[in-house]
Amino acid sequence: MTSNVKLEQQTAEGAVYYLFGATGDLAKRKLFPALFSLYKEGKLADNFAVVGLARRPRTNDQFRTDVYESIVEFCRYKADDAALWNKFAEHFVYMSLDINNVDGFRELDNLSSELDKKFDIPGNRLFYLALAPELFGPVSFNLRDGGLLNSQGWKRLVIEKPFGYDLESARELNAQLSQVFKEEEIYRIDHYLGKEMVQNIEVIRFANAFFEPLWNNKHIANVQITLSETVGVEDRGGYYDKSGALRDMMQNHMLQMLTMIAMEPPSRLQPEDIRDEKVKVLRSLRPYKSSDDVRRNVVRGQYSEGSLNNKTLVGYRQEESVNPESVTETYFGARVFVDNFRWAGVPFYIRTGKRMPVKTTEVVVEFKNVPENVLFGSREDVGPNLLVIRVNPMEGIYIKINAKRPGSDNDVQPVAMEFCQSCQVGINTPEAYERLIFDAARGESTRFTRWDEVAQAWTFVDPIAKAWNESKEDLAFYSAGSWGPKEMNDILEQDGFHWWPVNGQEEDNVIWISGNRK
């Protein structure tokens, strides 16, 4: 690989894609639409095949019908070109597989050889495991013992989060995978790294001369990262009650976004150089030294009964498949410090939760205010400058500055200058899974997590889980449809800050100057 620009121009090399869990929700909502979008855009070579694998019986025609219905419902492109669809669909086959039976994998190997010949595929194999983590190891062993790793081409394993339940289980899982695959062949997917505006953080920081000189503790007062969902646990109560926001969101998505904001400029735009810098951030996170330290800096919350948009919502404990005495957190909030020269003393405030007023993922960088008692610094109406990076669902950035109110005598008003990417691109913004599948097929590993990233993340998270296991008394409740427990607001107030309004909840007094804002 010589540059990211050249990678953008490539078509993925021909390969057989094995989708384990092909009848599941992830395949339906994300994987099938992603493959069709890549094919329609010419990013998949014609010599590819997709093998759907699951336990339930299915014919090839039934499987192709499933794929078609998935694309109709969830894909950003329409399958209205019959010739294109038929050409695409002929590359899809289905095989019922008991993942605990190695003989089934031998049959799969025979099928793979037939597909290689039919579509002129050079033996490349991409195994996508949309399965529970405890199955990653057994499936990997059966791939090896069933002969599927003996072909001439490359072999790559893509696995979904969660990668383990804690550091110990993650190490055990990694040890199993390492017996079959090399580290460079393992692609641990975090779909937030495939989102367009998360990738844009690097460009915003390192391609703009007026940001990087200010990107430090001399000029930045705090950083706020919000990942909020309006939904509850829906039909995932059984899974979620064993996971919670700490493991489901904080250990992966939230920490990954934090590393993108806090990392040093990499020496080159190469996968290992970028991931090296992210690991350095994780190593610099200030650990919580005791249970009391956790309670001072971390808030765990659980939604109770409430309402949103005039709709009454039940509490978490009333959800289906949830223990009525559950202390599982549906909200996680924390004050985090990155103890290095760039960020020493700058608090990072992180929050994620379910049943909140707005669905959004957003990063707010609050810059230090102008000097007090000098010129405009003595006035109460002069707020800090903000850089806001909107990741989801609206994509874009805006900068909030102070300006003179027209017709006034030096009255100050906040003005927001916005770039709305969603307004320009609309629904044709590539889905995260499109980018990540495309990257995995090309061997581009930048946006996948390396083992030492995973290990460092668990090293930071495990003391929090340990402190929570010691006591149930620190569980805070918040009404469904609210912004979470008051205790998290108190942490910011202790430092002299407050949460800034997020997507869809802007301050009324801000003047927006943007040609593409809707």
Side-chain angles (χ1 to χ4, degrees):
M1 184 181 75
T2 56
S3 75
N4 282 1
V5 173
K6 289 185 178 180
L7 274 173
E8 290 293 345
Q9 299 169 349
Q10 290 181 359
T11 298
E13 192 177 354
V16 180
Y17 298 79
Y18 304 84
L19 301 186
F20 288 81
T23 57
D25 198 56
L26 178 66
K28 177 182 177 181
R29 290 176 175 270
K30 299 296 183 181
L31 304 184
F32 298 149
L35 288 167
F36 184 70
S37 296
L38 292 173
Y39 184 75
K40 189 173 178 68
E41 293 178 352
K43 293 179 179 178
L44 283 186
D46 286 333
N47 58 332
F48 79 97
V50 177
V51 183
L53 299 160
R55 187 148 197 162
R56 70 181 66 170
R58 219 100 178 119
T59 65
N60 287 342
D61 287 340
Q62 288 174 325
F63 180 51
R64 290 165 185 168
T65 299
D66 292 343
V67 174
Y68 180 79
E69 292 174 351
S70 161
I71 291 165
V72 169
E73 185 173 0
F74 297 107
C75 189
R76 61 193 180 96
Y77 288 118
K78 296 184 182 296
D80 51 5
D81 184 332
L84 179 72
W85 163 252
N86 290 332
K87 188 177 178 183
F88 174 71
E90 71 178 13
H91 293 264
F92 281 70
V93 297
Y94 183 86
M95 177 177 165
S96 178
L97 179 70
D98 177 358
I99 59 175
N100 298 309
N101 182 3
V102 71
D103 289 333
F105 285 79
R106 295 189 179 102
E107 292 178 24
L108 180 59
D109 185 41
N110 293 332
L111 173 61
S112 303
S113 298
E114 295 173 7
L115 293 171
D116 282 348
K117 293 177 182 178
K118 180 178 180 179
F119 294 109
D120 193 26
I121 299 170
N124 297 327
R125 309 279 187 254
L126 189 148
F127 306 100
Y128 197 116
L129 273 54
L131 303 169
E134 58 266 22
L135 300 175
F136 294 166
V139 169
S140 297
F141 295 143
N142 282 338
L143 288 173
R144 178 194 62 195
D145 299 340
L148 283 140
L149 306 183
N150 296 332
S151 60
Q152 294 293 320
W154 48 255
K155 318 293 183 300
R156 293 174 190 144
L157 180 74
V158 181
I159 51 179
E160 283 279 340
K161 75 173 184 72
F163 194 81
Y165 187 76
D166 51 21
L167 180 58
E168 182 181 357
S169 62
R171 280 176 173 160
E172 292 175 0
L173 176 54
N174 195 63
Q176 290 179 330
L177 297 182
S178 297
Q179 294 179 49
V180 181
F181 293 94
K182 301 175 184 176
E183 171 61 29
E184 58 268 24
E185 294 175 328
I186 302 173
Y187 289 70
R188 302 172 189 85
I189 201 166
D190 184 334
H191 71 269
Y192 263 76
L193 295 182
K195 290 186 177 294
E196 198 68 32
M197 286 309 300
V198 172
Q199 298 170 30
N200 212 351
I201 291 173
E202 290 179 13
V203 179
I204 292 167
R205 286 192 53 191
F206 303 133
N208 294 292
F210 62 92
F211 280 139
E212 186 56 29
L214 305 179
W215 212 258
N216 54 58
N217 54 11
K218 295 181 177 62
H219 301 284
I220 292 177
N222 71 83
V223 178
Q224 302 176 14
I225 303 175
T226 296
L227 197 165
S228 61
E229 300 177 280
T230 55
V231 297
V233 294
E234 299 179 311
D235 58 353
R236 298 170 69 235
Y239 159 77
Y240 195 88
D241 206 38
K242 298 175 183 177
S243 174
L246 176 65
R247 294 181 174 91
D248 191 47
M249 290 292 187
M250 171 60 182
Q251 187 271 337
N252 38 73
H253 301 332
M254 304 299 286
L255 286 182
Q256 284 293 326
M257 285 196 291
L258 187 152
T259 61
M260 299 291 286
I261 293 293
M263 64 185 276
E264 295 294 319
S267 57
R268 300 170 301 168
L269 287 177
Q270 300 287 351
E272 295 311 307
D273 298 286
I274 294 171
R275 298 201 290 186
D276 284 345
E277 297 303 332
K278 290 164 65 181
V279 171
K280 289 179 185 177
V281 174
L282 294 172
R283 288 174 179 162
S284 299
L285 294 177
R286 182 187 300 177
Y288 301 119
K289 298 179 180 179
S290 66
S291 297
D292 288 339
D293 198 17
V294 170
R295 280 185 276 275
R296 281 192 294 268
N297 292 280
V298 178
V299 173
R300 63 167 165 172
Q302 185 185 99
Y303 65 82
S304 56
E305 294 180 7
S307 63
L308 180 63
N309 299 326
N310 298 319
K311 180 182 178 181
T312 301
L313 303 171
V314 301
Y316 175 72
R317 293 178 175 180
Q318 286 75 53
E319 297 279 14
E320 185 179 348
S321 303
V322 171
N323 182 344
E325 297 182 355
S326 173
V327 293
T328 298
E329 75 285 355
T330 61
Y331 175 99
F332 174 90
R335 173 172 50 196
V336 178
F337 290 94
V338 180
D339 286 340
N340 59 23
F341 272 96
R342 181 185 289 268
W343 294 108
V346 177
F348 286 72
Y349 302 111
I350 297 173
R351 62 177 172 177
T352 180
K354 292 186 176 295
R355 287 294 187 214
M356 300 181 84
V358 176
K359 174 182 173 61
T360 190
T361 302
E362 190 166 289
V363 179
V364 179
V365 179
E366 178 179 337
F367 292 89
K368 291 184 176 179
N369 217 333
V370 294
E372 294 183 2
N373 301 316
V374 177
L375 295 177
F376 294 98
S378 60
R379 303 176 56 154
E380 294 182 359
D381 56 356
V382 177
N385 301 135
L386 304 178
L387 168 65
V388 180
I389 303 170
R390 287 177 165 170
V391 175
N392 185 52
M394 294 295 289
E395 298 177 336
I397 60 173
Y398 73 82
I399 303 170
K400 193 172 86 169
I401 62 174
N402 295 301
K404 176 181 172 295
R405 188 183 303 277
S408 69
D409 233 0
N410 289 327
D411 287 346
V412 177
Q413 70 178 14
V415 175
M417 297 182 291
E418 181 184 46
F419 162 65
C420 176
Q421 180 163 285
S422 296
C423 300
Q424 292 186 346
V425 182
I427 63 171
N428 284 322
T429 301
E431 279 281 339
Y433 277 92
E434 293 175 34
R435 181 57 186 259
L436 294 173
I437 291 174
F438 186 46
D439 282 354
R442 297 180 301 157
E444 165 51 275
S445 57
T446 302
R447 295 172 183 87
F448 296 85
T449 50
R450 205 167 60 188
W451 162 242
D452 52 351
E453 287 183 71
V454 174
Q456 286 295 327
W458 280 124
T459 298
F460 180 75
V461 164
D462 277 357
I464 301 173
K466 180 182 178 183
W468 287 354
N469 287 335
E470 293 175 0
S471 173
K472 302 177 181 179
E473 296 178 0
D474 58 356
L475 178 66
F477 292 92
Y478 64 100
S479 298
S482 72
W483 276 111
K486 176 182 178 296
E487 287 82 349
M488 191 62 213
N489 298 338
D490 294 342
I491 289 177
L492 273 73
E493 290 176 5
Q494 292 169 12
D495 299 337
F497 302 119
H498 61 83
W499 289 109
W500 289 100
V502 297
N503 195 4
Q505 305 282 312
E506 289 92 358
E507 301 154 287
D508 294 334
N509 63 335
V510 177
I511 305 300
W512 291 86
I513 48 176
S514 171
N516 57 17
R517 182 171 175 78
K518 295 183 179 179

